[in-house]
């Protein structure tokens, strides 16, 4: 038997060796003996190549010979037969998610290489004695910038303008209340943006979204707000660490924002944007280990196992262990592991129509967790939306609900 040499265009180096061996030896069994591997390895390897090639539009034995361009695959072909003869054929090309994500990351890196560096505006008095043991964590629950909600449907209006105004008001208030620290953490729990593309659907699950604004408008508000948050934090801390968790609504935006902030603040020495190439981000501070994850990929109950497995050395050397997550939108503590506190954090954004009609309800708030390097968590400040709105609008906003009352 012989294997089509063109399949090597879609093969890994090992799979290409299998193709060469079969063509040289004349059979899969003989090729296995030639390479010193089990016959099943040959079968699985060639099957994987054929599958990959067919997704790319190349499967001659099935009448498909339309190799897709780079970054694309063939999800569907339609053939029109008349009197038993093929008269027309339609081939659809779609974006290959893996290659697309890789190209996005490469583009972000290339774009940021020559980005101008800036000096942070916010400053801490150099002679001031700052707290070096406690690090405040400002945990921003799923902000969903770019989501739209209407009071007539869900009780409250929400859009880009409201999201930016309330986020800045809330962050500004909790930071103004702080004394001075050596270090402060800004943690975006994920889904800071509600959408990440012009299709207005989630990349992974292809869920349709109710959105406000265009992609350029979203990017403008998002970058302006993130810059504002960091500069505000720098007025109360000598160093600010920024954690941007990958999330299901915002993953592409999470990558480029981290890269952009790293390029812009990279030379300042005062802003550290933690690498978010992995969805699991570990942060060690003295006796404390924190694992950060949005929790759309691994459910809360499994995250203690991720911490103890992937970061076992630091886990064994620390006394206090926390896993911070977003995604679920409500406050929750998972009692699964005696040494690890797995906790989700509330958000400021109101629910959209999908969440509201699905019955999801949560308290809207912003949380600052004070963590001591020596003693773990020693307190927190929860800013409820009602207090934020009182300062911003003069009073809390009341939900618009339809109710029929009879005297």
């Amino acid at each position: 038997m012989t294997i089509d040499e063109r399949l090597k265009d879609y093969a890994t180096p090992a799979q290409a060796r299998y193709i060469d061996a079969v063509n040289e030896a004349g059979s899969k069994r003989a090729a296995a003996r030639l390479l010193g591997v089990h016959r099943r390895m040959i079968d699985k390897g060639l099957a994987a190549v054929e599958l990959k090639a067919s997704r790319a539009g190349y499967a001659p034995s099935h009448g498909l010979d339309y190799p897709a361009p780079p970054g694309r695959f063939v999800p569907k072909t339609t053939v029109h037969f008349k009197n038993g003869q093929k008269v027309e054929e339609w081939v659809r090309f779609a974006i290959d998610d893996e290659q697309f994500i890789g190209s996005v990351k490469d583009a972000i890196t290339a774009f940021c290489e020559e980005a101008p560096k800036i000096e942070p505006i916010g400053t801490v008095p150099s002679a001031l004695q700052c707290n070096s043991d406690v690090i405040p964590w400002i945990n921003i629950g799923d902000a969903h910038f770019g989501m739209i909600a209407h009071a007539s449907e869900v009780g409250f209006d929400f859009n880009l303008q409201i999201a930016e105004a309330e986020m800045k008001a809330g962050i500004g208030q909790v930071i103004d209340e702080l004394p001075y620290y050596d270090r402060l953490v800004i943690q975006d729990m994920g889904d800071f943006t509600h959408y990440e593309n012009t299709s207005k659907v989630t990349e992974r699950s292809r869920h349709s979204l109710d959105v406000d604004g265009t992609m350029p408008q979203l990017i403008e508000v998002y970058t302006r707000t993130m810059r504002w948050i960091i500069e505000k934090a720098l007025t109360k801390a000598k160093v600010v660490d920024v954690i941007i968790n990958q999330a299901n609504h915002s993953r592409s935006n999470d990558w480029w924002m981290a890269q952009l902030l790293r390029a812009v603040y990279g030379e300042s020495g005062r802003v550290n944007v933690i690498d978010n190439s992995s969805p699991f981000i570990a942060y060690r501070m003295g006796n404390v280990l924190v694992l950060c994850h949005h929790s759309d990929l691994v459910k809360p109950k499994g995250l203690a196992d991720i911490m103890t497995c992937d970061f076992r050395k630091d886990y064994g050397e620390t006394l206090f262990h926390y896993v911070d997550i977003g995604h679920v939108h409500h406050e929750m503590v998972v009692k699964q592991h005696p040494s690890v506190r797995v906790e989700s954090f509330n958000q400021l954004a109101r629910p959209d129509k999908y969440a509201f009609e699905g019955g999801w309800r949560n308290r809207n708030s912003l949380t600052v967790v004070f963590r001591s390097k020596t003693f773990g968590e020693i307190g927190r400040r929860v800013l409820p939306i009602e207090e934020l709105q009182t300062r911003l609008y003069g009073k809390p906003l009341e939900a618009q609900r339809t109710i029929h009352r009879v005297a």
Side-chain angles (χ1 to χ4, degrees):
M1 68 177 297
T2 58
I3 305 294
D4 186 350
E5 286 285 331
R6 289 181 64 184
L7 286 176
K8 291 166 69 174
D9 294 340
Y10 309 96
T12 65
Q15 292 163 349
R17 288 195 297 271
Y18 296 163
I19 294 173
D20 289 337
V22 171
N23 289 339
E24 179 184 341
S27 70
K28 294 179 182 178
R29 188 180 302 277
R33 288 196 299 268
L34 180 65
L35 295 175
V37 299
H38 197 281
R39 160 73 183 271
R40 290 179 184 174
M41 293 289 291
I42 303 289
D43 290 336
K44 289 182 179 180
L46 294 180
V49 175
E50 290 172 352
L51 177 61
K52 185 176 180 180
S54 66
R55 280 176 53 83
Y58 184 68
S61 60
H62 294 81
L64 188 61
D65 190 5
Y66 303 98
R72 303 269 173 167
F73 74 101
V74 178
K76 181 180 181 181
T77 60
T78 304
V79 181
H80 178 208
F81 289 92
K82 187 175 182 179
N83 298 325
Q85 299 294 319
K86 183 170 68 173
V87 294
E88 289 181 294
E89 185 172 7
W90 294 270
V91 179
R92 178 186 298 174
F93 295 112
I95 294 175
D96 186 290
D97 288 341
E98 244 181 70
Q99 292 192 38
F100 173 72
I101 289 171
S103 65
V104 168
K105 288 183 176 181
D106 292 341
I108 291 169
T109 301
F111 174 79
C112 293
E113 281 178 352
E114 301 301 324
K117 307 300 186 291
I118 64 170
E119 285 298 322
I121 299 172
T123 58
V124 173
S126 57
L128 199 66
Q129 186 67 33
C130 298
N131 190 323
S132 60
D133 181 63
V134 175
I135 300 179
W137 284 62
I138 300 179
N139 283 344
I140 303 172
D142 303 24
H144 283 285
F145 274 41
M147 182 264 283
I148 193 165
H150 303 285
S152 59
E153 295 178 336
V154 305
F156 295 98
D157 289 321
F158 192 78
N159 53 38
L160 270 173
Q161 182 180 2
I162 294 171
E164 181 179 12
E166 293 187 350
M167 180 62 68
K168 288 181 176 179
I171 294 289
Q173 180 174 336
V174 296
I175 289 179
D176 284 342
E177 295 172 355
L178 295 176
Y180 293 97
Y181 292 90
D182 274 349
R183 201 171 210 97
L184 183 150
V185 174
I186 297 291
Q187 179 172 205
D188 162 18
M189 305 303 307
D191 285 346
F192 202 109
T193 61
H194 189 58
Y195 61 97
E196 57 179 326
N197 53 46
T198 56
S199 301
K200 313 299 172 62
V201 297
T202 56
E203 289 285 356
R204 187 179 181 90
S205 303
R206 314 306 292 178
H207 291 161
S208 296
L209 304 169
D210 293 331
V211 307
D212 181 40
T214 64
M215 193 68 189
Q217 290 170 332
L218 173 66
I219 291 173
E220 179 182 357
V221 174
Y222 180 32
T223 52
R224 181 171 63 229
T225 303
M226 285 300 292
R227 171 82 189 280
W228 188 93
I229 291 171
I230 292 171
E231 294 292 343
K232 186 69 177 177
L234 288 168
T235 65
K236 289 298 181 73
K238 293 179 179 178
V239 176
V240 173
D241 293 326
V242 181
I243 299 173
I244 300 176
N245 286 281
Q246 292 184 31
N248 52 309
H249 280 258
S250 59
R251 190 161 274 112
S252 294
N253 292 341
D254 300 329
W255 286 324
W256 68 250
M257 177 56 74
Q259 191 73 277
L260 179 63
L261 293 175
R262 194 176 300 115
V264 171
Y265 287 107
E267 304 299 319
S268 70
R270 297 191 60 204
V271 179
N272 298 313
V273 184
I274 310 302
D275 184 9
N276 65 349
S277 299
S278 167
F280 306 102
I281 300 173
Y283 187 105
R284 169 81 180 271
M285 43 179 287
N287 279 331
V288 175
L289 178 62
V290 184
L291 177 63
C292 313
H293 180 66
H294 183 63
S295 199
D296 62 312
L297 300 175
V298 177
K299 300 306 179 186
K301 290 182 179 180
L303 288 169
D305 295 334
I306 297 291
M307 173 182 276
T308 57
C309 178
D310 291 5
F311 308 101
R312 64 188 68 186
K313 180 177 184 296
D314 291 279
Y315 175 81
E317 294 174 351
T318 50
L319 297 176
F320 306 99
H321 310 110
Y322 306 95
V323 178
D324 292 352
I325 66 173
H327 192 53
V328 296
H329 296 182
H330 60 270
E331 185 179 14
M332 172 185 69
V333 178
V334 180
K335 296 181 179 179
Q336 181 70 14
H337 193 286
S339 174
V340 182
R341 179 185 177 92
V342 182
E343 180 178 6
S344 61
F345 291 85
N346 292 126
Q347 62 184 106
L348 292 177
R350 260 69 79 209
D352 62 1
K353 187 173 185 291
Y354 172 80
F356 182 80
E357 293 182 351
W360 288 289
R361 303 291 186 271
N362 59 279
R363 183 189 186 194
N364 299 114
S365 61
L366 179 68
T367 304
V368 184
V369 181
F370 298 94
R371 287 171 173 151
S372 161
K373 298 177 184 178
T374 309
F375 306 113
E377 182 182 333
I378 59 171
R380 60 180 60 193
R381 163 68 157 117
V382 177
L383 176 66
I385 191 72
E386 294 81 8
E387 181 181 349
L388 185 158
Q389 290 175 342
T390 299
R391 292 176 179 267
L392 189 60
Y393 309 125
K395 62 178 182 180
L397 301 182
E398 294 185 8
Q400 297 182 28
R401 308 283 190 220
T402 299
I403 181 170
H404 179 69
R405 293 187 176 92
V406 177

